[in-house]
Amino acid sequence: MLLSASPSSLAKSSLEEMLDSLRRKEEEEAKPKDLPPALPARPASRARLPPARRSLPNNFKVGDGSNAMPECLPNGFDCKRKEDELGEKRRSDGFGSKKVKMMMDADSPYLASSGKVRELEDDNISYIIKKKLCVWCRQPSGLWELGTIQSTSGEEASVLLSNGNVINVARSEFVPANPKIFEGVDDLMKLCYLNEPSVLHNIKFRHSQDMIYTKAGPILIAVNPFKDLQIFGNDRISAYKQKFTNSPHVFAVADEAFTKMMRDEANQSIIISGESGSGKTETAKIAMQYLAAVGRSNRGTEEKILQTNHVLEAFGNAKTSRNENSSRFGKLIEIHFSTMGKIYGAKVQTFLIEKSRVVQLASGERSYHIFYQLCAGSSFGLKERLNLRAASYYKYLNQSECLMIDGIDDAKKFHQLMKALDIVQICKEDQELIFKVLAAILWLGNISFKVADSENDIEVLDDEAVTSAARLMGCSSQALKAALSTKKIQPEKDTNTKKLILQQAIQTRDEIAKFMYENLFNWIVDQINRSLQVGKRCTGKSINILDITGFESFQKSSFEQFCINYANERLQQHLNRHLFKQEQEDYESDGIEWTKIYFKDNQECLDLFERKPHSLLSLLDEESNLPKASDLTFANKLKQHLGTNPCFKGERGRAFSVRHYEGEVLYDTNGFLEKNRDFMPSDSVQFLASCAVDSQEQSVCKKFKGQLFNLIDQLECTTPHFIRCIRPNTKQLPDIYDEDLVLQQLKCSGILEVVRTSRAGYPTRMTHQEFSTRYGFLLSEANKYQDPLSTSVAILQQFNIPSEMYQFGYTKLYLRAGQTGSLELKRKQVLQGIVVVQKYFRGYQARSYFQELKKGVATFQSFVRGEITRRKFGVMKPSITIYSKNLEEIQAIIQLQSVIRGWLARKDASTPNGFKSYPENAKHRRKSLVKMLEVKQDISKERVQNLPSPLAQLQRRVDKAEEENAKLREQLKQSERKWAEYEAKMKSMEEAWQKQRASLQMSLVAARKSLASDSGNTQPTRNEVLSPRYYGSEDATLGSRTAVNTPIKFSSNFAVSDGGREANGIRERGTSGTLSSLMKEFDQRRQNFDDEVKALNDVKPGNSTTTNSIEEFRKLKQSFEGWKKQYKVRLRETKAKLHEADKSRRTWWGKLKN
């Protein structure tokens, strides 16, 4: 709230003095229309002055005597003393408003004065008691219960709980509850009363409705649902992309980061924090899914980025006691965008892969997913090449007795991994090498040792494990056995070999396996970065997504948890800096009236880890360099140097405790020095070098600390967006909400303090120049000024923004949340209106230009066409005479064509199908026609070219008519020639028929005469006598046909006498009957054929019935041929009978003659 003060009682800054001098100068110039609006009075500020005020005296004070502050030092306030005075009181404060009440000197962010905190709370409690409203009561168990005040008695109140019980609660043990209308709000800043139970109940209510996302000022709270929710599809992506919804979601955070990157041209970062099992990995994948959809390009880079998750999860995630898919490494994915917002590349950075998980597993946990997927999903050929067995066969995997995860198909995951490796462009040969290294690590774990002598020297058992591991590593079995069982000692010049004891051999084996896996993991990350390398069109704008291993606390935490928790402490400090420290420091340095809000700072814990000369990391490195140091000596040194640190607590033996922001964690120093040294003996180094495996001696803490500091430096150069993941229960089951667990996580992350700071603070801050430049064009001409500060004041007054909603600093304008919404809406409307006006104006300009251009073109075309017409008229004038002479000839040709076409039409009407049977004439007709027309075309070609276009066209029509006339004449000739050929063919067919009929007649007559001569009853006439050869040989009879023009007439009075001898008997009578029937059939057939031939001959050429006459002759001929074959068979049979009768007669005649 802004407070007014008189100039006499307020020490003015140089800026205000400059403004006053400008105002007086303008008043002297008497220009009232240019007077800027009155500036709000500068409040009495408790802030330190900007660094430029170092020339001021040290006793310079701001405000009156009652508000006098300590002297202002050149380097600012020394706040450490005040924090030390609070001491343990601040560390013991709770999460809710009770902490504020305990701090008597704390200022409320909702009040202008700091001395009324307790009065306000007393007033609120009194009002609630008077109205008997709902309150939250703290139970003896520590849980909060909702109830309604029934009555009061002194400092106690009778409260009716929701379960029906009535309890007496002290006045200090209940806090006000929010009205029902605020139940389940999507932003905690909307709550009337901000306290522990209200926040817990709001998140619990939303979790029960499957609304897992809640805003807490600038932080998004994401509760792990432990089940699939249908809120991550493409429809949701489109809704957030098109700004159809603004409900809390990971998509909303990613969209805000993308929008700010494109608008402000500044790099962004999405920092995801939370305990192990809270869903950080899935949240990171959801954010990447949205950015890939928004920045989709034609290069397919976004698909590679998404498939990177499958690869990194397979090689870097494992099942732990708290999470079935826990990330055992930290990663930062830096996605680069072009100027148009399209993804053009990415880069993956990883931190501290947990190597010890490869060789050592706790009960109920698994190693990295890739080992189980390889054993379950590899093909038969791959298993043969790698000599793979089931996962239960390998000691590195079966030691925890946990080989499967419920609901997870490792074989299916392996196929997905193979597809992902192809997409990120890791070739098949490299994939084969990756699987060889993994199989070699598994076989290394199965190598066994035995004690060889009394000195505990060991030997490597020569079994399948040694052979398989050596073959996969590319070395000999003897070299591998020597590297695992011996070490070289080099005194001065000589080199001696010494046997290792059992524990040393196992340690050497495990170190080799861990180094191989670490190098393999780093190599895969390098290959992914090569595939995702940034293109040339990248502008340097990027969005970083940080997913690092969450805070972990076990009964006895190890070196890995020590490093993980240190990283989370550093990230929590980064959050505190941006949400608390930096914001409040900006308020103070810029002269803003601000009541400082206390937050839980973890700087002391960071100092415990980092501040030299005696810190956890420095002492660990120091002990790691001492050859005789042990884990116990390291623990004793920590107790000696850090015992007085409030965040450190020494425990018995090798243990110690650290008070983290998430809570106190007990560490066991067993293995700390060995894991920090990460030392490989020279023998192992040489052996790995011979196997093409890189190895190097490093200090893990130094390396990790350097990576962490580089990470923080990179994040400091970006605009952060925070997502806090919450684990609702430890059973990893859906629809279970553990209030104590959630409350602990909210306390550690400082959610309530964040909401208080955001609600009381000014999240929107812009320099005066930026504000005036962005919104200055909204002012009317009368209210425009030259200096940015006056312009900013005029804008706020014109849009009626209340004075308590903003403050002016020395360099910036500070606005509360939501105040720029109306300005942005008005700016958008004005810009849209400007665009509409520009659109219509540009359209009018384009249409006007087009009309002018069209008019000029039409004028130019008229002149050109006139000139062309005049030139054509000069060419056409001598050709008109030629046209008039040829007109009569053309008319005569047209008349001749009409006559010929009519005659042809009538001809076609009489014989419609006459031309279709002879298509071969068409080709000849076309050839002759082309030859005939070539002469005419050559003659008229020159004349046609000289004619103008209308006459040339008419001449072409005449030529075309002549061509058609010639075609018609040719068709007529072809028709006449066709008819002549038809008549000749008919005549030849008729002659052939007559010949065949005459031949049959002659054969029949010969048969008759032969029979008559044998019977002796009749004497043949001289003209009817035939040679015996005519009936003796049928072929000769049929072959002796002669051409006869007229039908042959046969004598029909031929008869057989009945006065034959009785001696012939029945045989002669049968033969005579058969012959008579043949004669009758022949006569009947002859008559039928004669009639049919006569009918065909009588057909006139003009009749339509002659169309198929040829076909009729063909059918008649076929019928005749068929009958002839049958008749010949029967004739042969009759002749055979006649021969038999003749033989018998000759026998009888000879006897009679003798």
Side-chain angles (χ1 to χ4, degrees), residues 46 79 82-83 86 90 93-97 99-101 103 105-111 114 117 189 194 218 576-588 592-601 750-763 765 816:
R46 297 173 56 194
C79 299
K82 186 175 181 180
E83 293 178 1
L86 296 175
R90 285 193 173 183
D93 284 340
F95 175 67
S97 59
K99 172 181 60 181
V100 180
K101 294 197 300 180
M103 297 171 57
D105 58 342
D107 296 333
S108 172
Y110 313 109
L111 300 177
S114 61
V117 178
M189 291 180 64
L194 199 61
N576 292 342
R577 172 174 168 76
H578 278 272
L579 298 184
F580 300 111
K581 289 184 177 181
Q582 191 173 15
E583 183 169 356
Q584 298 192 79
E585 288 175 0
D586 288 346
Y587 295 155
E588 294 177 356
I592 299 299
E593 182 190 14
W594 174 253
T595 302
K596 189 173 182 179
I597 295 177
Y598 166 75
F599 62 93
K600 190 175 182 180
D601 193 1
I751 293 295
L752 192 60
E753 287 79 5
V754 170
V755 176
R756 282 203 179 103
T757 304
S758 300
R759 189 155 67 175
Y762 303 89
R765 59 200 70 175
R816 294 194 186 276

Side-chain angles (χ1 to χ4, degrees), residues 707-847:
Q707 290 179 339
L708 195 58
F709 272 64
N710 292 335
L711 171 65
I712 297 301
D713 291 341
Q714 185 174 351
L715 294 179
E716 287 290 344
C717 300
T718 64
T719 302
H721 305 266
F722 298 99
I723 300 178
R724 176 68 182 189
C725 297
I726 300 295
R727 183 168 58 130
N729 61 79
T730 58
K731 299 179 181 179
Q732 304 181 33
L733 296 176
D735 303 324
I736 298 178
Y737 188 85
D738 187 344
E739 292 188 359
D740 286 340
L741 181 63
V742 174
L743 179 60
Q744 178 188 0
Q745 297 174 72
L746 293 177
K747 282 182 177 180
C748 295
S749 58
I751 293 295
L752 192 60
E753 287 79 5
V754 170
V755 176
R756 282 203 179 103
T757 304
S758 300
R759 189 155 67 175
Y762 303 89
T764 303
R765 59 200 70 175
M766 305 172 68
T767 64
H768 302 310
Q769 183 66 40
E770 292 173 350
F771 188 80
S772 61
T773 302
R774 185 169 184 82
Y775 304 108
F777 69 94
L778 301 177
L779 292 174
S780 59
E781 290 293 334
N783 294 331
K784 288 189 175 180
Y785 305 97
Q786 297 296 327
D787 62 297
L789 182 59
S790 301
T791 303
S792 301
V793 173
I795 294 171
L796 296 175
Q797 291 183 353
Q798 178 172 324
F799 287 93
N800 299 321
I801 295 180
S803 59
E804 61 270 14
M805 293 291 105
Y806 63 87
Q807 284 198 47
F808 285 97
Y810 297 122
T811 59
K812 296 180 182 179
L813 172 64
Y814 296 81
L815 296 100
R816 294 194 186 276
Q819 298 308 309
T820 58
S822 59
L823 294 176
E824 286 291 334
L825 179 61
K826 184 63 177 178
R827 180 177 182 271
K828 182 178 179 180
Q829 292 175 352
V830 172
L831 290 178
Q832 288 178 346
I834 293 174
V835 171
V836 172
V837 172
Q838 290 177 343
K839 178 181 70 174
Y840 283 106
F841 179 72
R842 289 169 180 166
Y844 170 75
Q845 279 186 327
R847 287 188 294 273

Side-chain angles (χ1 to χ4, degrees), residues 56-123:
L56 296 177
N58 288 337
N59 58 358
F60 179 78
K61 298 181 176 59
V62 180
D64 55 11
S66 59
N67 293 328
M69 296 294 295
E71 61 180 30
C72 185
L73 301 177
N75 294 328
F77 287 114
D78 185 8
C79 299
K80 183 66 178 175
R81 181 181 57 82
K82 186 175 181 180
E83 293 178 1
D84 292 340
E85 291 177 357
L86 296 175
E88 295 296 329
K89 180 186 291 187
R90 285 193 173 183
R91 288 193 291 272
S92 62
D93 284 340
F95 175 67
S97 59
K98 183 179 179 182
K99 172 181 60 181
V100 180
K101 294 197 300 180
M102 293 175 63
M103 297 171 57
M104 300 303 296
D105 58 342
D107 296 333
S108 172
Y110 313 109
L111 300 177
S113 176
S114 61
K116 299 183 180 180
V117 178
R118 181 174 295 276
E119 296 179 6
L120 175 64
E121 293 184 357
D122 291 341
D123 292 342

Side-chain angles (χ1 to χ4, degrees), residues 1006-1063:
R1008 285 182 179 178
K1009 288 183 179 182
S1010 177
L1011 183 60
S1013 63
D1014 291 338
S1015 64
N1017 294 329
T1018 58
Q1019 294 294 329
T1021 60
R1022 185 176 54 187
N1023 296 331
E1024 294 177 343
V1025 177
L1026 294 174
S1027 174
R1029 68 177 182 270
Y1030 287 106
Y1031 81 87
S1033 176
E1034 182 184 4
D1035 296 335
T1037 303
L1038 296 175
S1040 62
R1041 301 170 184 171
T1042 58
V1044 180
N1045 294 330
T1046 57
I1048 302 174
K1049 302 297 182 181
F1050 291 89
S1051 174
S1052 60
N1053 57 2
F1054 183 85
V1056 179
S1057 176
D1058 294 333
R1061 297 178 179 269
E1062 292 292 332

Side-chain angles (χ1 to χ4, degrees), residues 398-414:
N398 60 22
Q399 57 181 304
S400 64
E401 299 180 355
C402 178
L403 299 174
M404 299 181 64
I405 302 176
D406 295 338
I408 301 298
D409 186 355
D410 288 323
K412 183 178 180 181
K413 290 287 186 180
F414 183 76

Side-chain angles (χ1 to χ4, degrees), residues 288-470:
M288 293 169 61
Q289 175 189 356
Y290 183 85
L291 294 177
V294 175
R296 187 174 301 277
S297 63
N298 296 328
R299 301 181 60 189
T301 308
E302 62 279 353
E303 182 64 23
K304 294 181 182 179
I305 295 174
L306 295 179
Q307 292 299 324
T308 299
N309 292 319
H310 293 290
V311 180
L312 294 179
E313 280 189 19
F315 288 88
N317 288 29
K319 179 184 182 301
T320 65
S321 59
R322 295 186 176 183
N323 188 3
E324 294 181 351
N325 188 32
S326 176
S327 297
R328 308 315 300 165
F329 70 105
K331 66 175 179 289
L332 177 71
I333 300 180
E334 186 177 355
I335 304 175
H336 294 267
F337 295 83
S338 65
T339 54
M340 300 302 296
K342 302 301 181 182
I343 295 177
Y344 269 90
K347 182 180 179 181
V348 179
Q349 301 180 40
T350 58
F351 313 98
L352 195 65
I353 181 73
E354 187 182 4
K355 298 184 297 181
S356 61
R357 183 167 293 272
V358 177
V359 299
Q360 185 178 3
L361 298 176
S363 177
E365 296 188 353
R366 293 206 320 175
S367 185
Y368 292 104
H369 296 324
I370 182 60
F371 291 112
Y372 306 91
Q373 295 173 5
L374 178 64
C375 295
S378 57
S379 63
F380 177 79
L382 182 60
K383 287 183 178 179
E384 287 290 328
R385 293 191 297 273
L386 303 181
N387 194 21
L388 271 180
R389 307 292 175 81
S392 58
Y393 183 78
Y394 298 105
K395 295 180 181 179
Y396 279 164
L397 304 182
N398 60 22
Q399 57 181 304
S400 64
E401 299 180 355
C402 178
L403 299 174
M404 299 181 64
I405 302 176
D406 295 338
I408 301 298
D409 186 355
D410 288 323
K412 183 178 180 181
K413 290 287 186 180
F414 183 76
H415 296 315
Q416 294 177 357
L417 172 64
M418 297 289 288
K419 180 180 178 182
L421 291 174
D422 292 336
I423 292 177
V424 299
Q425 298 179 349
I426 296 180
C427 63
K428 295 295 183 181
E429 292 77 8
D430 290 341
Q431 294 179 25
E432 186 86 7
L433 292 177
I434 292 173
F435 300 143
K436 287 181 65 176
V437 173
L438 295 173
I441 292 174
L442 293 178
W443 282 113
L444 275 176
N446 280 23
I447 294 178
S448 301
F449 306 94
K450 66 177 181 179
V451 179
D453 50 28
S454 59
E455 296 180 0
N456 293 328
D457 294 338
I458 58 95
E459 292 181 356
V460 180
L461 294 179
D462 193 1
D463 55 6
E464 183 185 15
V466 175
T467 306
S468 300

